[in-house]
Amino acid sequence: MTFLAELAINGALVGLMYALVASGIVLVYKSSGVVNLAQGGFVMAGAYLVWAYIARLGLGLIPGILAAAASMGALGWLTERLALRRMIGQPVIMILMLTFGLEVVLRGAVPGALGADTKPMPIPISQAPVWLGDILINRTYILGGAVAVVMVALLAVFFRTRAGIAMRAVSDDHLAAWAVGIPVERTVALSWAVSGAVAAVTGVLWGAVQGVDWSLSLLLIKALSVAVLGGLDSLSGVVLAGLIVGVFESVISGYVDPFVGGGTREVVAAVVIFLTVLIRPYGLFGREVIERV
Amino acid sequence: MRRWVYWVLVLVLAAGLAAVPALAQQKVITFGFPVDYTRVYVFVAEEWTQGMVDYLTLMNLKGGVGGYTFDWRVVDTGNEPQRGIEAYERFRREGATIFNFISTPVSNAVAPRAMEDGVILLMPFHGRSDAADGQTFPWLFSLGANYWSQATVIVQHILEAEGGNLRGKRIGLVHIDSPFGREPIPVLEELSRRLGFEFQSFAFPSPGTEQSATWAQVRRFRPDWVLLWSAGPSQSVGVREAIRNGFPLDRLVSVIWLDEKDMNIVGAAQARGVKRFEAAVPGREHPVVQEILQKVYQEAGKGFGKIENVGSTYYVVGIASVAPVVEAVRIAVERFGEPVTVDKIRAALEMVSNFDLNGLMPPITITPQDHEGGGMGRISQWDGSRWVPVTDWMSAFRDVVWEMVYKSSAQFRQGQ
Amino acid sequence: MGRGTEPVVRGATAALEAVAPSPAGFHGFDAPTLVGLVLYNAQHFGNRVALREKDYGIWQEYTWADYARHVVEMALGLEALGFQPGDALLILGDNRPRLYFGMLAAQLLRGIPCPMYPDAIPAELSYIARRVGARFALAEDQEQVDKFLSLSEGAESLSCILYDDPRGLSMYDDPRLISCDRLQALGREYGREHPGVVEQRVGAISPDDIAVLLHSSGTTGNPKGVPLTHRQALAAVRNAYTAGYFGQGEDIVAYLPVAWVGDFTFSVAAAAALRFTVNIPERQETVLRDLREIGPTLYFAPPRNWDHMLTHVQVRMEESGRLQQFLFKKLIPLAVELERERLNGRRPQGLLGLWRRALRWLGEGLIYGPIKDHLGLSRVRHAYTAGEAIGEDTFLFFRALGVNLKQFYGQTENAALTAAQTDDEVKLRTVGRPLPGVEVRISETGEVLLRAESLFSGYYQNPQATEAAFVDGWFRTGDAGQLDEDGHLIILGRVEEVVTTATGVRYVPQFIENQLKFSPYIKEAAVIGAGKPYLTAIICIDYDAVGHWAEGRGVTYTSYADLSQKPAVYDLIGEVVRRVNAQMPKELRIRRFVNLHKEFDPDDGELTRTRKLRRNVINEHYAGVIEALYGDAPQVEVAARIVYEDGRAGVIQRALQIRQVEDGP
Amino acid sequence: MFYRECGVRHTTYAADRALAVIPFERALLVLLIVLAAAAPWIVTDLFLVSYLTPWLIWTAAVLGLNLLMGWAGQIHLGYGAVMAVGAYTAVHVARAGAPFVVAVAAGGLVAAVIGSLFGLPALRVRGLYLAMSTLALQVIVDWILVQVPAISGGAQATLLVPRPHIFGIPLVTDQARYWTAAVFTLLVALFVANVRRTDVGRALIALREKDYAAAVIGINVFYYKALAFFVSSFIGGMSGAALAFLYYRAVTPEQFGLNVSIMAVAMVIVGGLGSIIGSFFGAGFILLAPIWIEHGLRELAAALSVHISPSTLAHLPLVIYGGLITGFLLLEPLGLAKLYDNVRNYLRVWPFGYTKK
C-alpha cells in the first residue's frame, strides 16, 4: 500500500511538473491556436540561461531566475513578432513545422554557445529524502509540484486580469476581439512572452532534476501529451492531465515493469493518450471542434 | 531578405558538395571519427574525441611511428545511422582506414559495410559487444572490456567485498530500457545462478530523467548492491535517486559511464562513495597525459579542445582507445615492412600483446580470436573530489563472457 | 470509308466516282464541286482529321469520313423536310462543325447556303431572309434561334429552323424548330427508305451551282448578295495554291465569321480541296488561348488582330521582369532592323553581321521563339493579313519574330483572293502581285479592275448592281490603286473615299486613320476634312493600352469616358498625332483632335460588322463635335445617346476636351 | 523559355490529364530517368551510395506519407514506426529464406495492416489530436521493437539484413542497390501520381478539404480514410524494407525512431504538401542538407583557418538547418515544390511576367 501511495504521490508531483511544461503550450494555444513545438527548446534555453546567469555571470539564484525569465519572455515575444505573425492564415501543419524549425535552431544554438556537456542547476535543494511515514518523496518534486501549482494558479489569476481577459477573448474569436478593440497582435505576443517566462521557470525545476543539457528539450513530447490529454486550451485540464499521466505512468510502471522486464513508463503514457483520443476526442476539458486543420 | 536566405543555402550546400575528397598523402594513416556531438553521446563525445586526437597529435609531434604520421577526420553524426554511413563512405574515400563512431547505433549500422570493405572499426565501450569474437568479426575491435566483461568485473568486486560469498545477497540492476541497458542481464542472471545471489533488473525508459517510480521498486527489492547501467544525464538522476532512497552509495556500482561531471551535478560531496567500472586511469599524473599537456598544449598549441578536459575520465578513455592502434602501426612497420596497409594494421592489431601504455590502461592482449583484449578493468570510487581506484586491473568469469560472445556472434552469422 | 457501315454513305461513294473520277495530279482541280471533294476525301483519306473543335475542354475530332457522313445525313434530312434545289439555307452562328456540314448539305441538294454574321441584328436578318425567300434556317444555339423566331416581317416563309446546340431550347414549342440530331436521324431514315438518292443528288450537282451566297459588307446601304459557284471558289483556291499561298494539309483556325468570304474560301473551299484540318476554337473569347493549342500552320488575321497581338505582347512585356525587358528591348529592335534590311535586299555583312546574326540566333531561343510560342505562331508557315493596310511596326515586328507574315488583297466578289505577296517578294507598301489566273488593270480614274475565273458572275437578284459593277467585262473593285514597276499592286483606299477639302486638297482619310491607329493607344480614329478648311480627327483611345499606361503613371480613372478626358492622356495622344503629322505634307496635317468618350460601336451603326467606319453615320452622330473641332472652343458638350441592354435608350451629357496640335498655315 | 506549348492539344480527357503534357516536361522527365539510370557512371560512388540511394528510398517513403498528409489531409507522427514494421517484417521474412521481392512485399503488407490501426483514431479526430495519437502509437511500436528480442535481433538489437537477390541475381554492388532503389522509387512515384488522377485521389482531396462536406457529397469517409492509411502504410512499409535491404544492410530500432517520424513529416512539409516533385525535394533537403551543411561549414572553417571548437562546429549546422526550415516556411509556406513551381512558371510565361488567361 505504501508502495502504491509512494508511486502515486511521486507520480502526481512529476505530473504537475509535466503540467508546468504543458501550460506554456496551452497558453500559446489559447491565444493563437498555435501549438508550439519549440516549447521543449524554450525550457532547455531557459535552464541554460539560468545556469549561465548564475554560474557565468555570478548572479544570485533569484536574480538569475528572474533575469532568465525576462530573457525568455523576450525570446517568446520575438518569436511571435518575427515568425509566427507572418504565418497567420497558414495551415496548422505549416505553423507546427515552423516551431519545429525553431526547436532545431534552439537545440543547436544554445548548447553550441554555452557548451553541450551537462551542467548542474545550481539550486540548493537537499538530496536527503522527505519521509512521509514509509513513503519517500523527492524534495525537488515537492518543490516542482508546488511551483507548478502556484504558477498555474497565477496563470489562472492572470486570466482574470484585463490582459488575461483580452487573451481569452482573442482565443475565442480573433475577429470579434479585433472588432471590439482588443489589440489582438499585442495580446498574442504577450501570451508568447508569458509562455517563454514559464519555460524559464520550468527549466529551473527540470534542470534541478536532471541537469542542464539538450535533453531538456525532450520534455516536449511529454508536455504535448499532457496538453492534448487536458484538451489543449484548458489550464485546469492540463493540471488534471498532468496528474493523470504522472500517476498512471508511475503506478502502472511500478507494478508492471517487473513482469515485462522493461520500462513501461512511456508506453503507459502513450496508451493513455491513445485511449483518451479514442474515447474523448477533444481531451478532458477541450472545447469540441477546436482544431483548425 | 528572401535572396539572402537563398544565397546562404546555396553557398553552404555548394561548399558541402564541393568538399572534394583529398587524396591521402604518402605515409599517413588516416582515422575517421564521425562521432555524435549533438545527441545521445553528447556527454562523452567531446572529451573522448579530444583524447584520441590529442594522442595522435602527440605521436605526430614526436615524429610519428615508424615513419608514419597520423591524420584524422572529425564530423558530427547526430547519432543518426544515415549520417554515420555518409561520413563513413566519405572518409573511407578520403583514405581513412580506421574508424571510431562513439555511437552504438551508428557503429552497428556501419559494421556490415566495414566488414565488406575491409576497414577497421573500433568499438571500445560501445557498438557490438560480440565484436570480441575476432573469428566472426575480423574487422571489428572492441579494444576494451565490453559490457559483459564490465558486469563480471563488477560482480567480482562485489564478490570480493562480500568476502567471497554472495549466497542470499540481493543485487539489483537499474538500467536504461535499451539494448545497451539490457545487455548485462543474461550475464548477471548466469552469475546469480552460479554464485547464488538474487538478481532483479529495474528498467527506466529513455531518456531516464525521471526514475522515482523505478527507485521505489528498487527500494522494495531491498538490494545489497545496485548496478547502475545507463549513460548521460540519467546517470546523475540515478545517483540522486539512490541518495534520496537512502541507498548506501558505496554499494552503488556504475557501468563505465559515470564521470566527474555527473558527480558535480549530483553534488560532489553528496556523491561521495559511488563506485564505477574504470578502463583507464583518469587524472593528469600519468606521464602520457603530462606529455600531451606539455607538448601538444603548451608547446605546439595544437590541442583539439579545451585544456580543462585533459585528463578527464572520458579523455583518457579516448587515449586508451587509439593507443593500441598506434602500437599496431608500430608492430606493422616492424614485422611487415612498408607500405603499411590496412590489412597489415589489422594483422598487427591481433599481435598487440600486453600493452598497457605505461599503466594508463589495463594490459591488453589481442589475438585473432580475442578482439576484446582480455576484458580487464578496475573499480574506482568517488572520494568527493576525484576517483580513487579500489581494485587492481582484473577480469573475471571469462567463460561466462565468452559464452555470451559466441552466442551472439552465432546469431549474427546466421543472418549473414 | 471510316465509318462506312452505313448504307447511305456507301452509296454516296459509288456515285462519287462519277463526279470525281481522277485523283491524278492535284485532285482538287479535277473534282469540280466542294461537296464532291469532301466525299472524295472521305473515301481516300477517311481517317485523316478534317475538323477539330474544342468542346467540353478537349479537342473533338472529325475525320473526313465523319465529315461526309454528317453532310450526307443532314442533306437527306433536309430533303426529307422538303428542301428543294434552289432553296436557301440561312446559316447563323459562330463557327461550329454543324454549320459547315449544313453548308455542304445544302450544296449537295443544289440549294444555296447563306451564312450570316452571328452578331447580325434582326433587321439585317429579315432583309436577307426576304431577299432569298428563305424557308430553312440553321442556327447555332438558343440565341440565334431567338433571332429567327423574332423575325416577323419578311420571314413569313421561314418554315423550318434547325439548331445545333439544344441547351435552353427544351421548353420551346415552336413547331418550326428541329434539332440537328433529329434532322440527321430523319436523314438516316430517309436514306434507308430511298436507296440511291445520295448518288443521284451527287450526280446532279454542277460545278456552276451556287456554292455559297455571301453578302458584301455594304459600307453604304443594304448588303448585296454575292453568289459564288463551286467553280469560282475552287479557281480561287487553285490560283492561291499555284502561287504557293497554300500548302496541302495545313492546320488552320476557323474563328472569323462564317459569313465572311475568307472563312468560306479558307475553311470550306481550300479545306476541302487541299485537305486542311480546320480547328474551331471553343468560343470567340478563347480564340487566343485556343490558338496556342492549335498551333496553326496557316494563319490569317486582319491587321487589327495583329495590332492587338502586338499590343498584347508590349503590354505584357512592360509587366515583365527586368531581365526579360532588357532582353526584349535589346533583341527586338535588332531583329526588326535586320528584317527591314532584308526586305530592302541587304544582307548582314562582315564581322558585325556575323555578330548580329549570332544575336538573332540567340534571340530565337530567348525571345522570339517563346513569344511566338505564347501567341501560338511557332508552327506557322504562312501568315496573312488583309482587309486594310497593316502598320509597318506591326508588320515588321512579326516578320522579325520569324513569322512569315504577308499581305494579300481580295474581295468577296473574287472569293477573297486577288493579289498576294510571295515569300521572296515582300514589299512593305504593296499587297503583292496578282495571283496567277487573275488579271488586274488600273482604270483611268485610278480604280482597280479585275478579270478572273474566280470572279463571281453577278450580284444575287440584283442586275442593277451587277451592271454597275462591271465595265467591259472587268469587275470594278471600287479601290483606288496603282501597279508599281515590278507589277505589285498598291492599294490607296476606296475610290469613293477619296475626299476633297474646301481648299481642294485630295486625300484618303482611311490612310491617315491607319497611320494613327498604328499607335497601340489609338483604337479607332475618324479623320474629318471633307469640305472643311483643314483636317481634324475624332480619336477613340484603346482602353486596355491607355489604361495600362495610366496605371503605370499613377493616373487614376474610373471609366473609359473618364480616362479619355485626362489631360495626361491628351498629351499622350497629342504626341501620337504630332508624329503622324510629321510624315504628312503640310496641308494634310491634323490640326485639332478630340478624344471620344466611347468607342465607335457597330451596334450604333458607326462601324460595319467588319469594323469599317461608316462615315456618314459618324458625321451625323457627332455633328456637334465636328462643328466644335472647326471652332475655337477648348471643349464641347455632347449628348451621348446610349442604348441599354434592355433596349431602352438614354442620353448623357458630357464635356469633351479639344486639343490643338498644329497651327494653321 | 524552354516550355513550348504551341500545338499541344488534347483530343481525349486522358491525354489532358496525362502526367506530363508539355513536350518539354516530357523530355525533361525522360532525361531525368536516363540520367538516373546512368547515374553510376556519372557521379562518384560516394555520391551514389551516400546521397542518391538513401534519397531515392526516402522519397518513396515520403510519397507514401504525402499521400496521407498532402492528399487525404491526415497528420501522421508515427510513420517511422510503420517503416520499422515493414523493415523488420521484410528482414525476418528474408532471413526465413524468402526472396527479396517477396520480403519487401510482405513488409509492405504487414506495415499496411498495422499502419491501418494508426488510422483508427483518424475516424474520430483530426489535426493535433490525430498527431498525438499517432505519436502514441509510434511510442508503443518502438517499445515493442526494443522489448522483444525475437524481433529486434537479440542482445545487440541489430539484425543483419540478408543479401537481396532479384530473380537470382545478387544485389551486391552499390550500383545494383542503387538501381533497385531507383526502380522502386519510380514505381512508387508513378503509383502515387496516378492515384492523384483517379477518383480515389479526388475523394482523398475532398476529405482533406472538409470531411463532413465530403461525406455529404457521398464519399465514404470511413472507407477512404482507412484506404489512405492502408496504402500509405503499404508504401511506408516497403520503403522501410527497401532502406533496410538497399541502404542500411543492418536494422536497428534507432533507424526508425520518433525523430525519424518527425523527419518524414518535415520532408513532406518542406517539400510541399501534396506534391510529387516536392516529395523528392523535401526528402533530399531534410536528408542531405544537415550533412552538406556540416561538411560545408567544416570546409569553410578550414578554408578561412578559423578555429572553432568541434562541439560548437557540430552545433552550428543545427542552427543553420533549423533556420532554413523556419526561413523556408516563412518565405514559401507551400514548400520547395512551390519554389519549383515558381521557377517553372517563370520559365513557362517567359518572356512575360505572369500568365494571363
Side-chain angles (χ1 to χ4, degrees), chain A residues 93, chain D residues 65 68-69 74-82 115 118-119 130-131 134-135 138 229 232-233 261-262 264-265:
Chain A
I93 187 81
Chain D
L65 185 58
L68 190 65
M69 286 184 54
Q74 310 293 313
I75 299 182
H76 194 331
L77 281 180
Y79 202 62
V82 173
F118 279 61
L130 179 59
T134 49
L135 186 112
Q138 162 91 43
F229 271 93
S232 139
S233 303
S261 290
I262 294 177
V265 173

Side-chain angles (χ1 to χ4, degrees), chain A residues 3 6 14 107 116-118 127 129 134 136 138 140-141 208-210 213-214 250 253-254 257 262-263 265-266, chain B residues 39-40 42 177 203 205 207 209-210 212-213 216-217 219-220 233 237 240-241 243-245 261 264-266 270:
Chain A
F3 179 57
E6 179 176 335
V14 173
R107 225 171 49 213
D117 48 337
T118 314
Q127 305 290 343
D134 270 351
L136 174 146
N138 188 329
T140 317
Y141 289 175
V209 170
Q210 63 173 83
D213 73 351
W214 74 278
S250 181
S253 67
D257 277 6
R265 196 183 180 86
E266 301 294 304
Chain B
R39 280 292 196 157
V40 178
V42 158
D177 197 15
T209 47
E210 209 297 291
S212 62
Q217 299 165 44
R219 217 168 73 242
R220 287 224 304 173
V237 175
R240 266 192 202 164
E241 287 294 344
I243 297 172
R244 261 184 221 116
N245 281 275
K261 277 177 296 174
N264 286 330
I265 290 165
V266 175
Q270 284 175 304

Side-chain angles (χ1 to χ4, degrees), chain B residues 186-370:
Chain B
V187 168
L188 293 171
E189 280 171 348
E190 172 62 22
L191 290 178
S192 88
R193 273 194 291 280
R194 280 198 197 184
L195 303 173
F197 61 84
E198 199 180 321
F199 167 73
Q200 194 171 335
S201 66
F202 304 91
F204 54 82
S206 177
T209 47
E210 209 297 291
Q211 301 174 19
S212 62
T214 313
W215 280 88
Q217 299 165 44
V218 174
R219 217 168 73 242
R220 287 224 304 173
F221 179 58
R222 301 188 186 286
D224 296 294
W225 292 82
V226 168
L227 273 60
L228 210 53
W229 219 272
S230 179
S234 55
Q235 286 288 73
S236 54
V237 175
V239 175
R240 266 192 202 164
E241 287 294 344
I243 297 172
R244 261 184 221 116
N245 281 275
F247 189 79
L249 290 190
D250 59 350
R251 288 168 171 268
L252 186 69
V253 193
S254 164
V255 68
I256 188 169
W257 306 127
L258 191 71
D259 77 338
E260 307 80 32
K261 277 177 296 174
D262 294 319
M263 295 297 94
N264 286 330
I265 290 165
V266 175
Q270 284 175 304
R272 189 193 308 270
V274 177
K275 289 177 180 170
R276 68 164 187 189
F277 176 90
E278 196 170 272
V281 180
R284 295 186 168 186
E285 294 78 23
H286 193 274
V288 170
V289 180
Q290 278 296 323
E291 211 176 352
I292 288 176
L293 271 173
Q294 202 188 338
K295 290 201 167 137
V296 177
Y297 282 83
Q298 277 154 20
E299 286 172 20
K302 283 189 171 174
F304 191 67
K306 288 181 284 193
I307 194 165
E308 307 90 79
N309 290 342
V310 177
S312 74
T313 299
Y314 300 145
Y315 184 90
V316 291
V317 164
I319 297 178
S321 52
V322 286
V325 183
V326 173
E327 173 68 7
V329 173
R330 194 188 58 74
I331 294 172
V333 176
E334 244 172 46
R335 297 275 183 92
F336 307 128
E338 295 182 24
V340 171
T341 61
V342 63
D343 300 270
K344 289 181 183 172
I345 297 177
R346 198 199 68 79
L349 259 171
E350 292 179 342
M351 297 175 179
V352 170
S353 165
N354 223 16
F355 175 77
D356 69 350
L357 197 61
N358 301 326
L360 186 84
M361 52 192 284
I364 180 170
T365 301
I366 307 166
T367 66
Q369 286 75 37
D370 179 4

Side-chain angles (χ1 to χ4, degrees), chain C residues 56 292 316 319-320 366 373, chain D residues 5-7 10 13 350-351 354:
Chain C
Y56 299 110
R292 192 175 188 199
R316 289 192 60 188
E319 291 162 348
S320 191
L366 287 176
D373 187 74
Chain D
E5 288 168 70
C6 179
H10 309 296
Y13 292 111
W350 176 280
Y354 58 89

